[in-house]
Amino acid sequence: MKKLIGTIVLSLSLSTASFADKINVFAASSTKLAMQEIIENFKSKNPNDEIIAGYSATGKAYAQFTNGFQYDIFMAADTTYPNKIVSDKNAIGEPVVYAMGVVALYSNDKELIKKGMEVLNNDKIKHISIANPKLAPYGVAATEILENYGLLDIVKNKIVLGDNIAQSVQFVDSGAAEIGLVAFSLIKTIKKEEEYLLVDPSKYKPMEQAFVLTKYAEEKPLATKFASFITSEESKKIFEKYGFGVK
């Protein structure tokens, strides 16, 4: 009898496992707070499926991908890298815009924020945190913002570069920089309103953030299923909650 019960339990375990699936997702650092909630919501509806998410700068993740790291879904902070994956013939579909990035001026010192962008030229500011534009689209946007405000040449020696936009926020949090140009999505729900100022969106190109299903997702129904969930109304509300724009 015990042997029969053991056989049934093993059979059920194998059956359950056969319906489980697992995918690797790269998500840009700017999405981390939103994506953690989105994945949690997805898992509550699909408890047997596993979403392994990694967060970093988009350029760094693209380099990993081209060197063989098997991301099934590539969620960038722009459209450039997803389009590169398509051009490289490493995708099974076209890029899909899932959110619009928003840039904010951020400081622990609310008096600095009151002065707006011109405060960057203040002698009190010794370090300005931005993401590395060679690796992170938010760094590209920050550089563009500084150029359009006529500040880049003036403040270039004050700039400190984070490997990704999350590290740029950390530089301000730790005091390594007095102020930074960061992703609004990483501060909206956890910082006080007087600690940030949204940058005039006319000062930087619209930040369409897109994902693409890669060649590694070809025989993984979970990848398609999760991609649909990313663009669902439920997920759009979560992206909005954390400060992204949505279409």
Side-chain angles (χ1 to χ4, degrees):
M1 183 66 176
K2 288 182 179 179
K3 185 176 180 180
L4 176 60
I5 292 172
T7 302
I8 292 171
V9 170
L10 177 61
S11 178
L12 288 172
S13 298
L14 291 173
S15 177
T16 301
S18 68
F19 287 103
D21 203 352
K22 177 173 73 174
I23 57 170
N24 289 308
V25 177
F26 160 70
S29 294
S30 60
T31 72
K32 186 172 183 178
L33 298 180
M35 283 300 294
Q36 286 176 334
E37 185 169 337
I38 287 169
I39 291 170
E40 183 180 342
N41 286 9
F42 181 83
K43 284 279 293 175
S44 70
K45 299 174 177 64
N46 305 275
N48 293 326
D49 292 325
E50 187 175 1
I51 311 291
I52 300 173
Y55 305 93
S56 71
T58 300
K60 182 177 180 180
Y62 176 74
Q64 291 173 333
F65 179 77
T66 56
N67 284 318
F69 197 95
Q70 297 185 13
Y71 290 119
D72 300 297
I73 300 177
F74 192 95
M75 293 184 66
D78 63 4
T79 57
T80 301
Y81 287 98
N83 279 322
K84 283 184 178 181
I85 292 173
V86 172
S87 298
D88 295 340
K89 301 189 185 307
N90 286 325
I92 58 173
E94 294 299 315
V96 177
V97 174
Y98 62 88
M100 302 294 294
V102 177
V103 180
L105 185 69
Y106 166 56
S107 176
N108 291 321
D109 186 342
K110 62 183 180 182
E111 295 304 317
L112 295 179
I113 295 300
K114 285 180 181 178
K115 297 175 182 177
M117 287 292 298
E118 294 303 321
V119 76
L120 299 180
N121 194 27
N122 192 304
D123 289 340
K124 186 177 179 180
I125 304 295
K126 305 299 182 184
H127 302 97
I128 301 167
S129 178
I130 71 171
N132 188 338
K134 293 182 179 179
L135 298 173
Y138 277 87
V140 175
T143 303
E144 187 180 3
I145 288 165
L146 293 172
E147 286 178 343
N148 287 332
Y149 275 99
L151 292 168
L152 185 58
D153 288 338
I154 299 170
V155 304
K156 61 184 179 182
N157 292 329
K158 299 181 180 183
I159 293 173
V160 291
L161 301 177
D163 287 341
N164 54 65
I165 197 60
Q167 188 175 62
S168 300
V169 174
Q170 291 166 5
F171 283 164
V172 178
D173 287 342
S174 67
E178 293 85 8
I179 202 163
L181 287 165
V182 305
F184 185 41
S185 56
L186 293 178
I187 62 174
K188 182 190 175 188
T189 60
I190 56 178
K191 304 299 179 182
K192 298 175 183 177
E193 286 188 20
E194 58 265 31
E195 292 178 331
Y196 60 78
L197 174 71
L198 297 186
V199 176
D200 181 348
S202 70
K203 298 297 184 181
Y204 57 101
K205 294 182 182 69
M207 293 191 68
E208 290 186 327
Q209 300 195 196
F211 71 80
V212 69
L213 289 169
T214 77
K215 61 184 180 182
Y216 299 113
E218 194 160 12
E219 295 182 3
K220 295 183 179 178
L222 176 58
T224 303
K225 185 178 180 181
F226 186 60
S228 295
F229 190 73
I230 293 169
T231 58
S232 68
E233 289 303 314
E234 181 178 348
S235 293
K236 283 182 180 180
K237 289 177 182 176
I238 294 172
F239 282 123
E240 281 187 304
K241 170 184 170 182
Y242 286 95
F244 287 102
V246 296
K247 293 184 175 181

